[in-house]
Amino acid sequence: MTGVSAGVFVGAYAASPAHATWNAALESEFFAGLEALPEVRGLELPWIGGLHSHDDAWLLRTFPRRFDAVLTSIPGTMKRLGSAPSYGLASRDPGGRADAVAEAFRMRDAVRRLNDAVGRQAVTAVELHSAPSALRGDRASLAVSLAELVDDANAWDAAAIVVEHCDAFLPRQQPEKGFLDLADELAAMDGLPQWVGLSMNWGRSAIELRDGSLVTEQLRIAATSGRLRGLMLSGASAQQSPFGAPWVDAHHPMTPTPDFAYGEPTSLLTPGLLTDAVTAADGVDWLGFKFGWAERTAPVAPRVDMIATAARLVIASVADATASQGAGMQGGAVPPKLGG
């Protein structure tokens, strides 16, 4: 799998002790712990109007120089939708679409700032989203927005633009995000250069499909499109849990195992489904996970240990997937290598 030999990405903000309430000392301790993990290649950074949820200058000083980064717009997008329901790159409302394009360009400028601070092209991808609700958006509007954003490839400083698929709007189902479906997101990329692609989040697909066993097939569809660039592994639950209500997008860890004591028993993401997902998404440029931490007052050390343990398990799943594919190619039991 391309890039995975260098390690995995971590959406570490979901397990940060200082994401909701800023504490520079705790965040510094957290980042130092992450930097010491050889399995971690980089971080998925949440965009809420800046590179860091609380202090951009702190991040630019502290970001580990060996790390790569993926920027995700989903926290900021959801915050904007709370007060402006027509906001988004796929919006049929001209003002809402223009605001989202302008925000994406601010992310583009931040790519350059982070790269300059690190001294190299550290930002691998920028994850954008097909907001708003599909009741207010469509693929034609998303296509126009993407075309505007990719007009100057050099401006993105070698970062890929990817649309991260979230749960799609379904008429008889209460959505978490309710954005465009996968087919419309892919269709909006028709004719665009290959550095524009798609990323998937296991938990968000499970929320859409209401069945973890169906996520693998959706990943195969994404992979066979040739546009799949990245996969983030998060869990989801059909039950009330310490992470919240059923089907909430709260980044549940995978289920507990003898090797992963930090698991969430209600999570739909099992070790077997995790390996299936990695197998289906083979060929992606980056692979990672985003496991949350439900107890806000927990110290830094176990949070870092949870990430270290999960990183080793995800990397082991890559080896398992590779072995399975080899067996499949020899015996025909497993599909051949897919993806772009």
Side-chain angles (χ1 to χ4, degrees):
M1 182 174 289
T2 307
V4 177
S5 61
V8 294
F9 281 85
V10 181
Y13 68 93
S16 168
H19 180 61
T21 302
W22 180 228
N23 183 313
L26 284 178
E27 189 86 326
S28 295
E29 182 184 353
F30 186 55
F31 267 53
L34 297 174
E35 186 176 10
L37 302 178
E39 301 87 358
V40 175
R41 170 187 169 188
L43 301 180
E44 183 189 56
L45 300 175
W47 178 267
I48 313 178
L51 285 164
H52 190 269
S53 303
H54 302 281
D55 190 338
D56 270 26
W58 177 93
L59 181 81
L60 291 171
R61 291 194 308 271
T62 311
F63 188 81
R65 274 24 188 180
R66 75 169 181 87
F67 276 3
D68 292 332
V70 170
L71 308 186
T72 174
S73 73
I74 195 62
T77 296
M78 297 310 295
K79 182 177 180 181
R80 292 287 292 270
L81 286 170
S83 58
S86 293
Y87 172 86
L89 295 175
S91 181
R92 289 192 294 268
D93 175 73
R97 193 185 70 77
D99 286 347
V101 169
E103 191 68 14
F105 280 134
R106 282 189 280 274
M107 292 182 74
R108 179 197 65 186
D109 295 341
V111 167
R112 180 89 51 182
R113 289 200 303 277
L114 183 55
N115 286 345
D116 287 346
V118 174
R120 59 185 177 83
Q121 292 173 323
V123 180
T124 299
V126 176
E127 291 182 304
L128 304 175
H129 298 84
S130 63
S133 162
L135 294 173
R136 299 173 182 268
D138 56 40
R139 73 183 187 189
S141 299
L142 178 61
V144 171
S145 296
L146 291 175
E148 291 177 6
L149 293 173
V150 305
D151 183 56
D152 182 359
N154 293 329
W156 292 87
D157 211 16
I161 292 177
V162 297
V163 176
E164 183 190 36
H165 180 64
C166 296
D167 65 291
F169 178 82
L170 297 173
R172 290 175 293 280
Q173 183 170 295
Q174 179 63 37
E176 262 285 81
K177 305 289 190 292
F179 298 161
L180 298 187
D181 64 28
L182 182 62
D184 281 342
E185 289 170 343
L186 288 169
M189 300 175 199
D190 285 350
L192 295 180
Q194 284 300 305
W195 60 276
V196 180
L198 184 79
S199 67
M200 303 288 287
N201 178 294
W202 194 97
R204 290 170 183 159
S205 289
I207 290 168
E208 173 186 331
L209 300 168
R210 293 296 199 259
D211 186 339
S213 67
L214 299 179
V215 176
T216 302
E217 181 56 31
Q218 190 177 68
L219 281 165
R220 286 196 182 105
I221 292 168
T224 55
S225 74
R227 291 281 186 180
L228 186 60
R229 301 288 174 264
L231 170 64
M232 291 296 287
L233 297 153
S234 285
S237 177
Q239 306 172 47
Q240 184 76 29
S241 77
F243 291 86
W247 303 120
V248 68
D249 185 15
H251 319 305
H252 300 63
M254 61 182 281
T255 54
T257 72
D259 297 323
F260 189 62
Y262 300 102
E264 166 52 43
T266 70
S267 179
L268 296 173
L269 181 58
T270 64
L273 289 175
L274 188 150
T275 298
D276 288 348
V278 171
T279 303
D282 187 43
V284 291
D285 297 327
W286 47 271
L287 171 71
F289 64 92
K290 181 161 48 181
F291 291 170
W293 192 280
E295 176 50 58
R296 289 193 174 188
T297 61
V300 170
R303 297 170 189 262
V304 173
D305 188 59
M306 183 269 284
I307 289 170
T309 307
R312 289 192 290 269
L313 291 171
V314 171
I315 290 172
S317 77
V318 175
D320 291 344
T322 302
S324 296
Q325 287 174 329
M329 284 183 280
Q330 293 169 13
V334 177
K337 188 172 182 178
L338 299 172

CSV table of all heavy atoms in Angstrom, one decimal, residues 90 130-135 137-139 142 163-171 177-189 198 200 208-209 218 221:
chain,number,residue,atom,x,y,z
A,90,ALA,N,-21.2,22.1,-2.3
A,90,ALA,CA,-22.2,21.5,-3.1
A,90,ALA,C,-23.5,22.3,-3.1
A,90,ALA,O,-24.5,21.9,-3.6
A,90,ALA,CB,-22.5,20.1,-2.8
A,130,SER,N,-18.8,17.5,0.8
A,130,SER,CA,-19.9,17.8,-0.2
A,130,SER,C,-21.2,18.4,0.6
A,130,SER,O,-22.3,18.0,0.3
A,130,SER,CB,-20.3,16.6,-1.0
A,130,SER,OG,-20.8,15.5,-0.2
A,131,ALA,N,-20.9,19.3,1.5
A,131,ALA,CA,-22.0,20.0,2.2
A,131,ALA,C,-22.6,20.9,1.3
A,131,ALA,O,-22.1,21.3,0.3
A,131,ALA,CB,-21.4,20.7,3.4
A,132,PRO,N,-23.9,21.3,1.6
A,132,PRO,CA,-24.7,21.1,2.8
A,132,PRO,C,-25.5,19.8,2.6
A,132,PRO,O,-25.1,18.9,1.9
A,132,PRO,CB,-25.6,22.3,2.8
A,132,PRO,CG,-25.8,22.6,1.4
A,132,PRO,CD,-24.5,22.3,0.7
A,133,SER,N,-26.6,19.7,3.4
A,133,SER,CA,-27.5,18.5,3.2
A,133,SER,C,-27.8,18.4,1.8
A,133,SER,O,-28.0,19.4,1.0
A,133,SER,CB,-28.7,18.8,4.0
A,133,SER,OG,-29.8,17.9,3.6
A,134,ALA,N,-28.0,17.1,1.3
A,134,ALA,CA,-28.3,16.9,-0.1
A,134,ALA,C,-29.7,17.5,-0.5
A,134,ALA,O,-30.0,17.7,-1.6
A,134,ALA,CB,-28.4,15.4,-0.4
A,135,LEU,N,-30.5,17.9,0.5
A,135,LEU,CA,-31.7,18.7,0.2
A,135,LEU,C,-31.4,20.1,-0.3
A,135,LEU,O,-32.2,20.7,-1.0
A,135,LEU,CB,-32.6,18.7,1.5
A,135,LEU,CG,-33.1,17.4,2.0
A,135,LEU,CD1,-33.9,17.6,3.3
A,135,LEU,CD2,-34.1,16.8,1.0
A,137,GLY,N,-28.1,20.8,-1.7
A,137,GLY,CA,-27.0,20.7,-2.6
A,137,GLY,C,-27.1,19.7,-3.7
A,137,GLY,O,-28.1,18.9,-3.7
A,138,ASP,N,-26.2,19.7,-4.7
A,138,ASP,CA,-26.2,18.8,-5.7
A,138,ASP,C,-24.8,18.6,-6.3
A,138,ASP,O,-23.9,19.4,-6.1
A,138,ASP,CB,-27.2,19.2,-6.8
A,138,ASP,CG,-27.0,20.6,-7.4
A,138,ASP,OD1,-25.9,20.9,-7.6
A,138,ASP,OD2,-28.0,21.3,-7.6
A,139,ARG,N,-24.7,17.6,-7.2
A,139,ARG,CA,-23.3,17.3,-7.7
A,139,ARG,C,-22.9,18.4,-8.7
A,139,ARG,O,-21.7,18.6,-8.9
A,139,ARG,CB,-23.3,15.9,-8.3
A,139,ARG,CG,-24.0,15.8,-9.7
A,139,ARG,CD,-24.0,14.3,-10.1
A,139,ARG,NE,-24.5,14.1,-11.4
A,139,ARG,CZ,-24.7,12.9,-12.0
A,139,ARG,NH1,-24.5,11.8,-11.3
A,139,ARG,NH2,-25.2,12.8,-13.2
A,142,LEU,N,-21.2,21.0,-6.7
A,142,LEU,CA,-19.9,20.5,-6.2
A,142,LEU,C,-18.9,20.5,-7.4
A,142,LEU,O,-17.7,20.9,-7.2
A,142,LEU,CB,-20.1,19.1,-5.7
A,142,LEU,CG,-18.8,18.5,-5.2
A,142,LEU,CD1,-18.2,19.3,-4.0
A,142,LEU,CD2,-19.1,17.0,-4.7
A,163,VAL,N,-12.3,14.8,-1.7
A,163,VAL,CA,-13.6,14.9,-1.0
A,163,VAL,C,-13.8,13.8,-0.1
A,163,VAL,O,-13.7,12.6,-0.6
A,163,VAL,CB,-14.7,14.9,-2.1
A,163,VAL,CG1,-16.1,15.0,-1.4
A,163,VAL,CG2,-14.6,16.1,-3.0
A,164,GLU,N,-13.9,14.0,1.2
A,164,GLU,CA,-14.1,12.9,2.1
A,164,GLU,C,-15.6,12.6,2.2
A,164,GLU,O,-16.4,13.4,2.5
A,164,GLU,CB,-13.6,13.3,3.5
A,164,GLU,CG,-13.7,12.2,4.5
A,164,GLU,CD,-13.5,12.6,6.0
A,164,GLU,OE1,-13.9,13.7,6.3
A,164,GLU,OE2,-13.0,11.8,6.7
A,165,HIS,N,-15.9,11.3,1.9
A,165,HIS,CA,-17.2,10.9,1.9
A,165,HIS,C,-17.8,10.8,3.3
A,165,HIS,O,-17.1,10.1,4.1
A,165,HIS,CB,-17.4,9.5,1.1
A,165,HIS,CG,-18.8,9.1,1.1
A,165,HIS,ND1,-19.8,9.7,0.5
A,165,HIS,CD2,-19.4,8.0,1.7
A,165,HIS,CE1,-21.0,9.1,0.6
A,165,HIS,NE2,-20.7,8.0,1.4
A,166,CYS,N,-18.9,11.4,3.6
A,166,CYS,CA,-19.6,11.3,4.8
A,166,CYS,C,-20.9,10.6,4.6
A,166,CYS,O,-21.2,10.3,3.5
A,166,CYS,CB,-19.8,12.7,5.5
A,166,CYS,SG,-18.2,13.5,5.9
A,167,ASP,N,-21.7,10.4,5.7
A,167,ASP,CA,-23.0,9.7,5.5
A,167,ASP,C,-23.8,10.5,4.5
A,167,ASP,O,-24.0,11.7,4.7
A,167,ASP,CB,-23.7,9.4,6.8
A,167,ASP,CG,-24.1,10.6,7.5
A,167,ASP,OD1,-23.2,11.4,8.0
A,167,ASP,OD2,-25.3,10.9,7.7
A,168,ALA,N,-24.4,9.9,3.5
A,168,ALA,CA,-25.3,10.5,2.6
A,168,ALA,C,-26.7,10.7,3.1
A,168,ALA,O,-27.1,10.0,4.0
A,168,ALA,CB,-25.3,9.7,1.3
A,169,PHE,N,-27.4,11.7,2.6
A,169,PHE,CA,-28.8,11.9,2.9
A,169,PHE,C,-29.6,10.7,2.4
A,169,PHE,O,-29.6,10.4,1.2
A,169,PHE,CB,-29.3,13.2,2.4
A,169,PHE,CG,-30.7,13.4,2.7
A,169,PHE,CD1,-31.1,13.9,3.9
A,169,PHE,CD2,-31.7,13.1,1.8
A,169,PHE,CE1,-32.4,14.1,4.2
A,169,PHE,CE2,-33.1,13.3,2.1
A,169,PHE,CZ,-33.4,13.8,3.3
A,170,LEU,N,-30.4,10.1,3.3
A,170,LEU,CA,-31.3,9.1,2.9
A,170,LEU,C,-32.7,9.4,3.4
A,170,LEU,O,-32.8,9.8,4.6
A,170,LEU,CB,-30.9,7.7,3.4
A,170,LEU,CG,-29.6,7.2,2.9
A,170,LEU,CD1,-29.2,5.9,3.7
A,170,LEU,CD2,-29.7,6.9,1.4
A,171,PRO,N,-33.7,9.4,2.6
A,171,PRO,CA,-35.1,10.0,3.0
A,171,PRO,C,-35.6,9.4,4.3
A,171,PRO,O,-36.3,10.2,5.0
A,171,PRO,CB,-35.9,9.6,1.8
A,171,PRO,CG,-35.0,9.5,0.7
A,171,PRO,CD,-33.8,8.9,1.2
A,177,LYS,N,-24.6,13.7,8.9
A,177,LYS,CA,-24.1,14.8,8.0
A,177,LYS,C,-25.2,15.0,6.8
A,177,LYS,O,-25.5,16.1,6.5
A,177,LYS,CB,-22.8,14.4,7.4
A,177,LYS,CG,-21.7,14.2,8.4
A,177,LYS,CD,-21.2,15.4,9.1
A,177,LYS,CE,-20.0,15.1,10.0
A,177,LYS,NZ,-20.2,14.2,11.1
A,178,GLY,N,-25.5,13.9,6.2
A,178,GLY,CA,-26.5,13.9,5.1
A,178,GLY,C,-26.1,14.6,3.9
A,178,GLY,O,-26.9,15.3,3.2
A,179,PHE,N,-24.8,14.5,3.5
A,179,PHE,CA,-24.3,15.1,2.3
A,179,PHE,C,-24.6,14.3,1.1
A,179,PHE,O,-25.5,13.5,1.1
A,179,PHE,CB,-22.7,15.3,2.5
A,179,PHE,CG,-22.3,16.2,3.6
A,179,PHE,CD1,-21.0,16.2,4.1
A,179,PHE,CD2,-23.2,17.1,4.2
A,179,PHE,CE1,-20.6,17.0,5.2
A,179,PHE,CE2,-22.8,17.9,5.3
A,179,PHE,CZ,-21.5,17.9,5.8
A,180,LEU,N,-23.9,14.6,0.0
A,180,LEU,CA,-24.1,13.9,-1.3
A,180,LEU,C,-23.7,12.4,-1.2
A,180,LEU,O,-22.9,12.0,-0.3
A,180,LEU,CB,-23.4,14.5,-2.4
A,180,LEU,CG,-23.7,16.0,-2.8
A,180,LEU,CD1,-22.9,16.4,-4.0
A,180,LEU,CD2,-25.2,16.2,-2.9
A,181,ASP,N,-24.3,11.6,-2.0
A,181,ASP,CA,-23.9,10.2,-2.0
A,181,ASP,C,-22.6,10.0,-2.8
A,181,ASP,O,-22.1,10.9,-3.5
A,181,ASP,CB,-25.1,9.3,-2.5
A,181,ASP,CG,-25.4,9.5,-4.0
A,181,ASP,OD1,-24.6,9.9,-4.8
A,181,ASP,OD2,-26.6,9.2,-4.3
A,182,LEU,N,-22.1,8.8,-2.6
A,182,LEU,CA,-20.7,8.5,-3.2
A,182,LEU,C,-20.7,8.7,-4.7
A,182,LEU,O,-19.8,9.2,-5.3
A,182,LEU,CB,-20.3,7.1,-2.8
A,182,LEU,CG,-18.9,6.6,-3.3
A,182,LEU,CD1,-17.8,7.5,-2.7
A,182,LEU,CD2,-18.7,5.2,-2.9
A,183,ALA,N,-21.8,8.2,-5.4
A,183,ALA,CA,-21.9,8.3,-6.9
A,183,ALA,C,-21.8,9.7,-7.3
A,183,ALA,O,-21.1,10.1,-8.3
A,183,ALA,CB,-23.1,7.6,-7.4
A,184,ASP,N,-22.5,10.6,-6.6
A,184,ASP,CA,-22.6,12.0,-7.0
A,184,ASP,C,-21.2,12.7,-6.8
A,184,ASP,O,-20.8,13.5,-7.6
A,184,ASP,CB,-23.7,12.8,-6.3
A,184,ASP,CG,-25.0,12.6,-6.9
A,184,ASP,OD1,-25.1,12.1,-8.1
A,184,ASP,OD2,-26.1,12.8,-6.2
A,185,GLU,N,-20.6,12.3,-5.7
A,185,GLU,CA,-19.2,12.9,-5.4
A,185,GLU,C,-18.2,12.5,-6.5
A,185,GLU,O,-17.5,13.3,-6.9
A,185,GLU,CB,-18.8,12.5,-4.0
A,185,GLU,CG,-19.6,13.1,-2.9
A,185,GLU,CD,-19.3,12.5,-1.5
A,185,GLU,OE1,-18.8,11.4,-1.4
A,185,GLU,OE2,-19.7,13.2,-0.5
A,186,LEU,N,-18.3,11.2,-6.8
A,186,LEU,CA,-17.4,10.8,-7.9
A,186,LEU,C,-17.7,11.4,-9.2
A,186,LEU,O,-16.8,11.8,-10.0
A,186,LEU,CB,-17.4,9.3,-8.0
A,186,LEU,CG,-16.8,8.5,-6.9
A,186,LEU,CD1,-17.1,7.0,-6.9
A,186,LEU,CD2,-15.2,8.7,-6.9
A,187,ALA,N,-19.0,11.6,-9.5
A,187,ALA,CA,-19.4,12.2,-10.8
A,187,ALA,C,-18.9,13.6,-10.9
A,187,ALA,O,-18.6,14.1,-12.0
A,187,ALA,CB,-20.9,12.1,-11.0
A,188,ALA,N,-18.9,14.3,-9.7
A,188,ALA,CA,-18.5,15.7,-9.7
A,188,ALA,C,-17.0,15.9,-10.1
A,188,ALA,O,-16.6,17.0,-10.4
A,188,ALA,CB,-18.8,16.3,-8.3
A,189,MET,N,-16.3,14.8,-10.0
A,189,MET,CA,-14.8,14.9,-10.3
A,189,MET,C,-14.5,14.5,-11.8
A,189,MET,O,-13.4,14.6,-12.2
A,189,MET,CB,-14.1,13.9,-9.4
A,189,MET,CG,-14.2,14.1,-8.0
A,189,MET,SD,-13.3,12.9,-7.0
A,189,MET,CE,-14.1,13.2,-5.4
A,198,LEU,N,-10.7,11.2,-3.7
A,198,LEU,CA,-11.7,10.8,-2.7
A,198,LEU,C,-11.0,10.3,-1.4
A,198,LEU,O,-10.0,9.6,-1.6
A,198,LEU,CB,-12.7,9.8,-3.3
A,198,LEU,CG,-13.9,9.3,-2.4
A,198,LEU,CD1,-15.0,10.4,-2.5
A,198,LEU,CD2,-14.4,8.0,-2.9
A,200,MET,N,-12.2,8.2,2.4
A,200,MET,CA,-13.3,7.5,3.1
A,200,MET,C,-13.0,7.4,4.6
A,200,MET,O,-11.8,7.4,5.0
A,200,MET,CB,-13.4,6.1,2.5
A,200,MET,CG,-13.7,6.0,1.0
A,200,MET,SD,-15.3,6.6,0.5
A,200,MET,CE,-16.4,5.2,1.1
A,208,GLU,N,-23.9,5.8,7.5
A,208,GLU,CA,-24.8,5.9,6.4
A,208,GLU,C,-25.5,4.5,6.1
A,208,GLU,O,-26.7,4.5,5.9
A,208,GLU,CB,-24.0,6.2,5.1
A,208,GLU,CG,-24.7,6.2,3.8
A,208,GLU,CD,-23.9,6.4,2.6
A,208,GLU,OE1,-22.9,7.2,2.7
A,208,GLU,OE2,-24.2,5.9,1.5
A,209,LEU,N,-24.7,3.4,6.1
A,209,LEU,CA,-25.2,2.1,5.7
A,209,LEU,C,-26.0,1.4,6.8
A,209,LEU,O,-26.7,0.4,6.5
A,209,LEU,CB,-24.1,1.3,5.2
A,209,LEU,CG,-23.3,1.9,4.0
A,209,LEU,CD1,-22.0,1.1,3.8
A,209,LEU,CD2,-24.2,1.9,2.8
A,218,GLN,N,-18.6,-0.7,-0.1
A,218,GLN,CA,-18.6,0.7,-0.5
A,218,GLN,C,-17.1,1.1,-0.7
A,218,GLN,O,-16.9,1.9,-1.7
A,218,GLN,CB,-19.2,1.6,0.6
A,218,GLN,CG,-19.4,3.0,0.1
A,218,GLN,CD,-20.1,3.9,1.1
A,218,GLN,OE1,-19.6,4.2,2.2
A,218,GLN,NE2,-21.3,4.3,0.8
A,221,ILE,N,-16.1,-0.1,-4.1
A,221,ILE,CA,-16.6,0.8,-5.2
A,221,ILE,C,-15.8,2.0,-5.3
A,221,ILE,O,-15.4,2.4,-6.4
A,221,ILE,CB,-18.1,1.1,-4.9
A,221,ILE,CG1,-19.0,-0.1,-5.0
A,221,ILE,CG2,-18.6,2.3,-5.8
A,221,ILE,CD1,-20.4,0.1,-4.4
